Amino acid sequence: MKQYLDLCQRIVNEGVWVNNKRTGKSCLTVINADITYNVAENEFPLVTTRKSFWKSAIAEILGYIRGYDNAADFRKIGTKTWDANANENKDWLANPYRKGTDDCGLIYGKIGRNFPKPDGGSVDLLRQIVDDLSQGIDNRGEIYTFYHPGAFHMGCLRPCMYSHHFSLLDGTLYLNSTQRSCDVPLGLNFNMVQVFVFLALMAQITGHKPGLAFHKIVNAHIYEDQLDLMRDVQLKRTPYPSPQLTINPDIKTLEDLETWVTLDDFEVQGYQHHEAIRYPFSV
């Protein structure tokens, strides 16, 4: 929580105004931020200076694991985060690759679970990683990536957090996640949860102890219509202690995550928080 608030304060104090063409808004921006999560000690990085809807964040990472490309599928597992990008983005609505209502195109897990090969066919990156780690193999390239510049025009949004690199060291699993761009008041709240949960799940299904998760953000920003709420409300609140996350121990395989796992398989204990803040969302 301290790392999150320190980053927010850094942006307020040191940020530079940058105009964002996609949204038509200005962003107060800093370059390079690093946050570390202690998954081994179950220090769940849930924001406490406002109410955080952690279930929606977990539902979204489940959708990335399953390779979803449709907002309706994301809604079914518990999140509406893709509704606006699928159905309100003017450029995407006019895109010939869009297949209709709720279609997101080639986004995130849809790419990662079917990464195109230059010589034809595709590679299921996550399946390869799970198979390797389950056998105790780390080839120093266990990377689940969603970043494919040749496919950007075929999806409603480029991936923001685009790479998850798993490393196995003496029976402990680590994760380095890289994010090119981050809406800190809204997006980072989700992304912190997702990095933590992804490492916890992968350690559980591959039979290893979870270690630390390292989260690198390249461009961290606060939109102009979010600044007052961050500076004058959220940053003036006193944080509460970190809660803890419990994951159903019956989740043992990638197939479990792909088929029967729901939000009922996750529980947060000891979550104290301040009132919700309705930050504007930029499409």
Side-chain angles (χ1 to χ4, degrees):
M1 189 64 221
K2 183 180 185 301
Q3 295 176 85
Y4 172 79
L5 294 175
D6 285 348
L7 174 57
C8 294
Q9 192 65 60
R10 177 188 162 201
I11 297 173
V12 170
N13 293 344
E14 305 173 12
V16 175
W17 286 107
V18 176
N19 184 61
N20 181 255
K21 181 179 179 181
R22 179 177 64 86
T23 63
K25 298 179 182 179
S26 293
C27 306
L28 199 58
T29 305
V30 299
I31 300 301
N32 193 56
D34 294 283
I35 304 177
T36 301
Y37 314 119
N38 193 335
V39 184
E41 297 298 324
N42 200 4
E43 296 174 0
F44 193 43
L46 199 54
V47 171
T48 63
T49 46
R50 70 176 179 89
K51 185 177 182 180
S52 174
F53 298 95
W54 59 270
K55 288 186 177 182
S56 185
I58 292 179
E60 190 174 59
I61 194 68
L62 284 175
Y64 297 163
I65 289 171
R66 293 174 179 179
Y68 284 170
D69 64 352
N70 192 287
D73 290 328
F74 282 102
R75 286 197 300 273
K76 289 176 184 176
I77 58 169
T79 183
K80 298 180 179 179
T81 50
W82 283 92
D83 286 5
N85 283 312
N87 299 308
E88 298 177 23
N89 182 323
K90 292 181 180 179
D91 288 340
W92 179 238
L93 294 178
N95 192 309
Y97 287 100
R98 184 173 184 263
K99 293 178 287 188
T101 302
D102 285 329
D103 178 48
C104 299
L106 292 181
I107 60 162
Y108 287 80
K110 185 64 176 181
I111 285 286
R113 298 301 306 266
N114 305 272
F115 203 88
K117 296 171 59 179
D119 58 352
S122 64
V123 178
D124 184 343
L125 300 177
L126 187 59
R127 178 78 266 174
Q128 283 193 340
I129 295 167
V130 170
D131 287 348
D132 280 352
L133 296 178
S134 297
Q135 299 174 61
I137 297 170
D138 175 7
N139 65 16
R140 295 185 289 185
E142 308 293 356
I143 302 172
Y144 189 40
T145 184
F146 312 132
Y147 206 79
H148 193 314
F152 288 163
H153 65 294
M154 300 175 70
C156 65
L157 182 71
R158 287 184 299 168
C160 295
M161 186 158 58
Y162 64 87
S163 179
H164 300 279
H165 187 169
F166 293 93
S167 299
L168 186 59
L169 188 64
D170 195 25
T172 299
L173 190 64
Y174 297 85
L175 173 60
N176 288 74
S177 296
T178 305
Q179 187 164 357
R180 65 170 181 85
S181 175
C182 184
D183 174 341
V184 171
L186 280 179
L188 185 52
N189 184 47
F190 265 49
N191 300 140
M192 294 192 302
V193 169
Q194 291 168 340
V195 172
F196 183 101
V197 170
F198 202 10
L199 176 55
L201 285 172
M202 288 289 283
Q204 183 165 311
I205 68 173
T206 60
H208 300 291
K209 297 179 296 184
L212 299 174
F214 305 97
H215 184 181
K216 176 172 284 294
I217 303 163
V218 177
N219 183 303
H221 50 266
I222 298 173
Y223 281 101
E224 58 184 287
D225 52 6
Q226 300 171 330
L227 180 59
D228 289 349
L229 287 170
M230 174 59 74
R231 181 187 56 214
D232 302 332
V233 180
Q234 188 164 0
L235 281 173
K236 294 188 181 301
R237 294 175 172 177
T238 301
Y240 293 106
S242 296
Q244 292 198 318
L245 175 70
T246 298
I247 299 175
N248 185 348
D250 291 335
I251 301 172
K252 297 178 180 179
T253 66
L254 179 56
E255 288 75 17
D256 291 341
L257 292 172
E258 293 170 330
T259 55
W260 58 263
V261 172
T262 71
L263 294 180
D264 291 337
D265 295 296
F266 302 86
E267 183 179 354
V268 171
Q269 297 91 22
Y271 183 37
Q272 295 176 275
H273 57 81
H274 291 265
E275 294 181 0
I277 299 175
R278 295 187 179 279
Y279 282 110
F281 174 67
S282 298
V283 179

